[in-house]
Amino acid sequence: MCEAHAFILKDGQEEKILESVDLVEMDGDEVRLVSIFGDRKTLKARLKLYDNTKRMIVFEPLISGERQENL
Amino acid sequence: MCEAHAFILKDGQEEKILESVDLVEMDGDEVRLVSIFGDRKTLKARLKLYDNTKRMIVFEPLISGERQENL
């Protein structure tokens, strides 16, 4: 009952990418998401906002070529 | 009852920095944390791990001079 949902910012709007997130793992620019149902998503993004009240984890996509020094 | 706690990685160990996190806001390299009690913390770090089961939000500190292009 406590899970938050993952969103990605697109044109200033939050678009849901994964329901009921159990795990978020960052590896450089890569975000690995796992839901409580075992669904997985991987994306190039970074955290923008975590709002416990709204149960939202919002990521912003990384523009290609940005932050290459972290790879 | 659903709040997670914020930790920072120090020498490979998770050190608790804020209990019962309500809000995490990223602004460039800066992380602003607000707890459900209204306590606030700001640090230079980025997300490393969010573990819903363990109720942990783990950040890793940014080394000074790193990722300056995001400021």
Side-chain angles (χ1 to χ4, degrees), chain A residues 46-48, chain B residues 25-32 44 70-71:
Chain A
R46 63 176 176 180
L47 181 70
K48 181 64 185 166
Chain B
E25 282 181 309
M26 304 294 297
D27 185 9
D29 287 344
E30 203 166 88
V31 184
R32 286 192 293 268
K44 295 261 186 196
N70 289 320
L71 298 176

Side-chain angles (χ1 to χ4, degrees), chain A residues 55-67:
Chain A
R55 313 306 304 147
M56 289 174 85
I57 307 170
V58 183
F59 295 92
E60 55 183 356
L62 287 176
I63 300 152
S64 181
E66 193 191 3
R67 295 176 53 211

Side-chain angles (χ1 to χ4, degrees), chain A residues 2-4 21-26 28 46-53 55 57 66-67 69-70, chain B residues 2-4 21-26 28 46-53 55 57 66-67 69-70:
Chain A
C2 282
E3 296 83 17
V21 174
D22 191 41
L23 201 66
V24 176
E25 282 180 310
M26 304 294 298
R46 63 176 176 180
L47 181 70
K48 181 64 185 166
L49 179 80
Y50 165 80
D51 189 320
N52 180 63
T53 308
R55 313 306 304 147
I57 307 170
E66 193 191 3
R67 295 176 53 211
E69 81 291 354
N70 289 319
Chain B
C2 281
E3 295 83 19
V21 173
D22 191 41
L23 202 65
V24 176
E25 282 181 309
M26 304 294 297
R46 64 176 175 179
L47 182 70
K48 180 66 184 164
L49 182 78
Y50 164 80
D51 189 320
N52 180 63
T53 308
R55 314 303 306 146
I57 306 170
E66 192 191 3
R67 297 176 55 210
E69 82 293 353
N70 289 320

